[in-house]
Amino acid sequence: MITELGYGTLAISFLLAIYGIIAATWGVLKRRPDWVDSARNAMLLTFPLLTVSALSMIYLLVYGHYEVEYVASVTSNSMPLYLRITALWGGQAGSLLFWSWLMSAFASAVTLRNWERDREFLPWVIVVCLITLAFFLGLTLFVENPFDRLWLLPGGIAIKSFFAPQGALPYFQSDGKGLNPLLRHPGMIIHPPMLYLGFVSFVIPFAFAIAALVTNRTDDRWIRITRRWSLVAWLFLSLGLILGGRWAYDVLGWGGYWGWDPVEIAAFMPWLTGTAFLHSVMIQEKRGMLKHWNMILIILTYNLVIFGTFLTRSGVLSSVHAFAQSAIGPLFFTYIGASFVISLSLLLRRWQTLKSDLHMTSLLSREALFLLNNLLFMGILVVCFWGVIFPLISEIVTGQKVTVGPPFYERATAPLFAGLLLLMGIAPLAAWRHSTVQTLGKAVWKPTVVSLLIPLLALASGVRNWAALLGFWLAAFVACVTLYEYGRAVLARSRSRNESLLRAFWNLAGRNRRRYGGYIIHLGVVLMAIGIIGIELFQTETQGTLAQGEQLSLGPYTMRFDSLAVFDTADGRNVARAVVSVYKNGQFVGELYPRRDFYYESQQPMTIPGLRSTMEDDFYVLLVDWQPISSAGATFKVYHNPLVNWLWLGGLVFILGTLVAAWPDSETNPATVRARRRLPFAAKAS
Amino acid sequence: MEQTISKPISNVPANRLKFLIGGLLIVAAVVYLIITSTQASAQYFMTIEELEQKGSQVIGRNLRVSGAVIGDSIQYDPQTLTLRFTVAHVPGDNKEIEAQGGLAAVLHAAVIDPSRPRLQVIYQGVKPDLLRDEAQAIMTGKLGEDGIFYAEELLLKCPTKYEEALPEQSEG
């Protein structure tokens, strides 16, 4: 019954999406607003319908309806409730349903906004959102149906199908295979949904961009409307990436946070174009330039989002994330190809009307530096893209299969990231329109001198790695500039309005949220950079087999193997748990319990590190092997990760800054009212 | 500042050129980074058969080799963390593997066939759990002059009831 309900609502949503596309197009062509309204209602309806569908799936997962193939493949009797719910996005079919559900939520939300002033956008926004939704619903319905059931044919062969095949009997299993052990982590609750929310919400700015192209509205209205949508999308995507890094650090057991895995890159690529987009739209808003470029960026972002969803869910590349395999590849490529060609040809048609009469005049002006920032982001994107497709190209051209690993990405992107950091320090000091070496130099020299203190201190304390010294200087430089800019504004406001410093700080962030939120984000990046320098350049590791009471030393730390216990748990795991005492510089600092869980039903092990974490460094212990009988000896792999906590702290600051930037202005805020009143004039001026 | 805005149009091409050169420099830098990094870190996928044929040509190159683990050959010294084992040739192409009945069948056939090309492997590090007879070992490392493959990284795949079984990763 529930299976039929879920499938039925899914099918109706698909039909509604198709109807909406046709009705909106018809309404616009025949100038019939009632048809557009009908399409709008159809789009609005997809959300409740897909909510019913997704809830049905969750019901089936939670109550263990193993006759449904998807349920049997991702849940099992021993899984706790929260993991059963998260199993909705634990496999490919469910992920596609989840994606569609989120997409419908955003699509419905966008129909509810006030359309009075930009009615001409509405039909095209509906068309773009619904085409995207229909594509994913189509995949879910016809290719990867999560509601497919298992049937037993007379010959004893089990097949999966939604409707009963002739002569087949329902196939009821008493238990399922269960979720992949690596996914059985609290991170599963939040990392994939955040990433998906980020993916899905970038569809909205893209839809408005296409609407602007079709309707030939070449002002920056579409950018102003979607400013907050883009920020929210970016917030979710960033959060998803940071959480993924933390999850990897906690459970994947290689002592790292980012492995340049193709799937990580797939989620990182839309983030790169999205970040470039967030920066370059400011140039269009302030100076009316880069209109083509912004269109290209949002088109790229949209296609990379679809590509990212495809990579994470198709198993086309073998990676930590490719726990799903299927034949949906060609469909995805066709869709991406078509949407790319259509959006680019639309852009070409409007190329002339998008031309700006303003030109950049100075290489050192703020807009030129923003453009440079965009180029560097694109450079990183090209590096990533090259890394992903290089094996394919090389195989086609030379017949030899060649791949590039993390060293390639590290080598090629590090200078570009360093360049971005430098720009992050210089650009806020550069003037709009015109800036010369003299004017910029005057603004830059003070923070340069102050920030040189940090690498000098590092040098004095024995750091000889030039890359690290450069990195620390860049981080200090950006921090100096950002804090100086913030401090200057706070002081000025506090003086002119007679506010306390704290009050002035608060009001300032509230008044120009994007700017001051942006500065907080920059500070977050600085902290993250420090953590990344720490772990990338100073990580050390060792391994050893210890008898009880023996010790192993690494950096300032010494660990002693005290004991080991092996036991079974109620949820079907065999756990080997070691107790080790940790000493830092000879002082006892605590015990750690690295363990290895073995999942009986899936026959897979999972390593959970013991971790001592401080702002200075992390001591990370993995239990990799042990003598089963005597529990006398065990093998450990140990990492010393200096400064890595700055990465997580920076991530937190980063997200807080994004929240500040994206926070809706309150209605009573006089600044908002003033801005609204000003808006019509501003629109005319641009 | 005001001067710049009202500058005559004739300055525009000069500016264009400036920006064009700047942009080209960035593009050149990115291309340079990509080319040198690719050269420095490219890993060549080879089957054991190809290794045998090319032999000395590929000594010193970054290689990625996959093979079927022969269970009897596994020797592990936990004191020095030295792992030795032998792998047998399996096809490198996924389609070929599918055509021969899937990964499990291919691995089994490779292990029981003594005429298949084989490769001795030495790996420094902890012995992975999944290293067992008829597992697929994916190794990156270099071929030594002695014909032994010195693996720096070892990934193992076991055909289980999970078609999508994850490779266990251990780096050395």
Side-chain angles (χ1 to χ4, degrees):
Chain A
M1 205 34 229
I2 297 292
T3 320
E4 280 85 1
L5 181 68
Y7 184 78
T9 44
L10 193 65
I12 297 170
S13 321
F14 178 68
L15 294 176
L16 270 177
I18 300 287
Y19 165 75
I21 297 166
I22 296 167
T25 319
W26 182 259
V28 112
L29 293 179
K30 298 280 160 197
R31 298 179 194 285
R32 292 276 302 271
D34 50 332
W35 280 90
V36 176
D37 278 332
S38 172
R40 180 184 182 171
N41 289 336
M43 183 146 103
L44 200 57
L45 252 181
T46 56
F47 177 58
L49 281 169
L50 285 172
T51 305
V52 171
S53 190
L55 287 178
S56 313
M57 191 73 241
I58 290 175
Y59 175 90
L60 296 170
L61 289 164
V62 167
Y63 289 97
H65 282 257
Y66 299 122
E67 75 273 14
V68 176
E69 196 269 343
Y70 181 74
V71 175
S73 69
V74 292
T75 59
S76 64
N77 291 335
S78 64
M79 272 165 55
L81 178 68
Y82 86 91
L83 281 178
R84 285 167 169 274
I85 296 171
T86 63
L88 175 62
W89 50 85
Q92 177 167 280
S95 303
L96 290 173
L97 173 62
F98 183 56
W99 209 103
S100 313
W101 182 35
L102 294 179
M103 181 68 230
S104 71
F106 277 82
S108 299
V110 87
T111 59
L112 293 177
R113 70 179 288 279
N114 183 5
W115 285 92
E116 248 168 71
R117 287 184 46 209
D118 1 72
R119 198 73 214 171
E120 71 267 39
F121 283 167
L122 178 62
W124 301 110
V125 169
I126 293 176
V127 167
V128 174
C129 288
L130 285 184
I131 287 179
T132 313
L133 186 62
F135 172 66
F136 279 91
L137 286 176
L139 284 180
T140 322
L141 270 180
F142 303 116
V143 189
E144 286 286 331
N145 183 359
F147 294 103
D148 270 351
R149 283 172 282 209
L150 282 167
W151 304 92
L152 218 47
L153 290 177
I157 309 158
I159 61 158
K160 79 180 213 195
S161 156
F162 181 74
F163 298 104
Q166 189 130 38
L169 292 168
Y171 179 33
F172 289 105
Q173 289 170 292
S174 58
D175 199 359
K177 283 195 277 192
L179 200 60
N180 190 306
L182 280 181
L183 302 180
R184 299 185 188 190
H185 182 268
M188 184 67 185
I189 304 170
I190 187 157
H191 161 65
M194 286 299 132
L195 218 48
Y196 275 29
L197 278 171
F199 279 179
V200 164
S201 38
F202 264 122
V203 174
I204 307 296
F206 171 74
F208 275 93
I210 293 298
L213 281 179
V214 176
T215 56
N216 208 2
R217 247 184 102 161
T218 54
D219 58 359
D220 55 6
R221 180 74 192 143
W222 72 274
I223 283 176
R224 290 185 189 276
I225 297 172
T226 59
R227 181 197 279 176
R228 193 145 282 122
W229 287 98
S230 317
L231 268 171
V232 166
W234 194 69
L235 168 72
F236 285 129
L237 202 51
S238 310
L239 200 54
L241 288 167
I242 293 169
L243 288 168
R246 179 68 218 196
W247 184 3
Y249 190 72
D250 282 345
V251 305
L252 288 186
W254 81 76
Y257 57 95
W258 182 261
W260 294 104
D261 173 304
V263 173
E264 287 169 349
I265 294 171
F268 189 48
M269 286 196 293
W271 186 89
L272 287 170
T273 51
T275 313
F277 177 73
L278 286 181
H279 285 95
S280 74
V281 291
M282 292 185 221
I283 305 298
Q284 184 168 345
E285 285 179 35
K286 286 235 171 24
R287 306 270 292 123
M289 291 189 272
L290 301 183
K291 289 181 182 175
H292 302 112
W293 183 236
N294 287 327
M295 284 289 173
I296 292 173
L297 282 177
I298 197 67
I299 291 169
L300 267 178
T301 307
Y302 173 80
N303 284 290
L304 287 170
V305 157
I306 307 288
F307 184 61
T309 314
F310 159 62
L311 274 194
T312 36
R313 282 299 176 259
S314 69
V316 70
L317 298 156
S318 94
S319 81
V320 199
H321 298 75
F323 43 83
Q325 276 180 352
S326 93
I328 57 179
L331 291 169
F332 262 105
F333 275 116
T334 314
Y335 183 80
I336 293 170
S339 87
F340 207 60
V341 168
I342 293 170
S343 14
L344 282 186
S345 45
L346 257 176
L347 176 60
L348 284 179
R349 247 183 73 197
R350 301 287 181 231
W351 197 263
Q352 284 303 324
T353 48
L354 280 171
K355 275 219 166 121
S356 158
D357 15 312
L358 289 167
H359 292 280
M360 291 206 184
T361 46
S362 159
L363 271 177
L364 291 174
S365 64
R366 192 180 293 189
E367 54 267 39
L369 294 178
F370 267 60
L371 188 63
L372 187 57
N373 136 309
N374 268 244
L375 278 177
L376 291 179
F377 273 115
M378 286 303 107
I380 297 172
L381 177 78
V382 172
V383 169
C384 290
F385 195 69
W386 174 254
V388 174
I389 62 157
F390 175 62
L392 288 172
I393 291 183
S394 134
E395 205 176 357
I396 293 166
V397 175
T398 65
Q400 168 78 58
K401 216 171 164 185
V402 188
T403 178
V404 288
F408 162 77
Y409 296 102
E410 282 157 15
R411 236 188 95 131
T413 59
L416 301 174
F417 278 119
L420 279 175
L421 265 180
L422 185 66
L423 278 181
M424 206 186 260
I426 292 176
L429 299 175
W432 292 102
R433 294 193 182 103
H434 192 66
S435 209
T436 62
V437 177
Q438 283 85 0
T439 54
L440 194 56
K442 224 168 156 183
V444 164
W445 78 269
K446 271 187 242 168
T448 310
V449 170
V450 175
S451 57
L452 274 172
L453 274 176
I454 301 292
L456 284 177
L457 273 176
L459 199 66
S461 66
V463 177
R464 289 293 177 271
N465 184 322
W466 68 268
L469 291 172
L470 178 69
F472 284 140
W473 172 68
L474 283 171
F477 177 62
V478 180
C480 270
V481 170
T482 314
L483 290 173
Y484 173 73
E485 283 288 293
Y486 224 119
R488 207 177 52 165
V490 168
L491 267 181
R493 188 183 167 96
S494 149
R495 275 205 206 114
S496 68
R497 307 208 172 196
N498 230 348
E499 290 173 343
S500 74
L501 286 177
L502 208 67
R503 179 108 212 120
F505 170 81
W506 184 254
N507 287 338
L508 199 65
R511 259 186 66 92
N512 193 343
R513 287 184 208 279
R514 183 161 58 173
R515 176 158 183 197
Y516 292 100
Y519 283 156
I520 297 174
I521 297 172
H522 284 185
L523 285 177
V525 173
V526 165
L527 297 176
M528 292 171 86
I530 293 170
I532 291 170
I533 294 167
I535 188 166
E536 290 296 335
L537 298 174
F538 298 108
Q539 184 182 50
T540 49
E541 56 172 281
T542 186
Q543 50 192 14
T545 303
L546 306 180
Q548 240 166 359
E550 275 188 336
Q551 295 181 338
L552 185 66
S553 291
L554 180 67
Y557 287 96
T558 302
M559 60 161 269
R560 189 185 66 221
F561 172 40
D562 292 338
S563 66
L564 180 94
V566 182
F567 51 89
D568 280 341
T569 61
D571 57 357
R573 286 174 297 154
N574 178 269
V575 177
R577 179 173 172 274
V579 180
V580 299
S581 300
V582 180
Y583 298 83
K584 187 174 189 181
N585 301 320
Q587 289 272 313
F588 177 75
V589 288
E591 279 183 347
L592 290 180
Y593 314 103
R595 52 177 234 261
R596 169 70 69 98
D597 290 10
F598 186 80
Y599 287 80
Y600 284 115
E601 64 197 9
S602 60
Q603 293 287 305
Q604 284 197 59
M606 179 156 151
T607 308
I608 294 121
L611 182 61
R612 181 182 187 271
S613 198
T614 61
M615 283 316 284
E616 192 184 338
D617 52 15
D618 277 18
F619 187 64
Y620 188 104
V621 184
L622 294 169
L623 173 66
V624 281
D625 199 13
W626 60 93
Q627 304 323 119
I629 304 158
S630 64
S631 77
T635 308
F636 296 93
K637 191 156 184 176
V638 186
Y639 293 89
H640 180 233
N641 298 334
L643 300 174
V644 68
N645 250 324
W646 292 70
L647 174 59
W648 313 124
L649 178 72
L652 207 66
V653 173
F654 187 102
I655 296 302
L656 279 177
T658 319
L659 279 174
V660 168
W663 201 259
D665 300 304
S666 61
E667 290 299 322
T668 50
N669 189 340
T672 332
V673 177
R674 225 177 298 140
R676 288 232 175 96
R677 274 198 212 121
R678 248 199 332 248
L679 220 90
F681 301 102
K684 254 181 234 161
S686 62
Chain B
M1 265 189 243
E2 289 75 24
Q3 280 177 344
T4 1
I5 308 166
S6 56
K7 259 185 186 172
I9 305 293
S10 62
N11 258 12
V12 169
N15 265 318
R16 275 258 164 94
L17 194 69
K18 230 166 39 175
F19 277 88
L20 206 64
I21 293 171
L24 282 177
L25 277 177
I26 301 282
V27 172
V30 171
V31 170
Y32 170 80
L33 281 171
I34 288 179
I35 292 174
T36 53
S37 308
T38 307
Q39 279 169 349
S41 61
Q43 266 178 7
Y44 295 82
F45 280 72
M46 299 192 92
T47 63
I48 293 167
E49 212 168 58
E50 285 168 341
L51 265 189
E52 213 168 56
Q53 286 159 6
K54 301 214 171 145
S56 56
Q57 291 170 31
V58 293
I59 288 172
R61 260 196 194 173
N62 286 319
L63 299 175
R64 192 174 161 104
V65 180
S66 137
V69 176
I70 294 163
D72 295 339
S73 70
I74 302 171
Q75 289 174 356
Y76 179 57
D77 179 355
Q79 286 313 307
T80 60
L81 297 167
T82 308
L83 182 62
R84 291 163 177 274
F85 57 95
T86 303
V87 288
H89 169 80
V90 288
D93 188 37
N94 273 333
K95 277 186 199 133
E96 210 172 315
I97 291 176
E98 286 304 315
Q100 292 179 20
L103 187 60
V106 167
L107 290 170
H108 180 70
V111 169
I112 57 166
D113 178 5
S115 66
R116 289 262 182 134
R118 295 188 170 190
L119 179 70
Q120 253 196 309
V121 181
I122 294 185
Y123 171 73
Q124 284 286 326
V126 178
K127 183 183 154 194
D129 281 351
L130 291 173
L131 185 78
R132 53 189 175 220
D133 198 33
E134 294 183 16
Q136 185 190 17
I138 301 162
M139 301 151 294
T140 58
K142 291 184 172 120
L143 189 69
E145 306 251 347
D146 47 10
I148 295 175
F149 190 81
Y150 293 88
E152 281 147 21
E153 195 182 318
L154 177 60
L155 283 133
L156 288 152
K157 261 189 195 169
C158 284
T160 60
K161 65 172 175 170
Y162 285 86
E163 50 179 5
E164 62 271 42
L166 281 157
E168 189 201 357
Q169 186 170 352
S170 57
E171 284 172 41

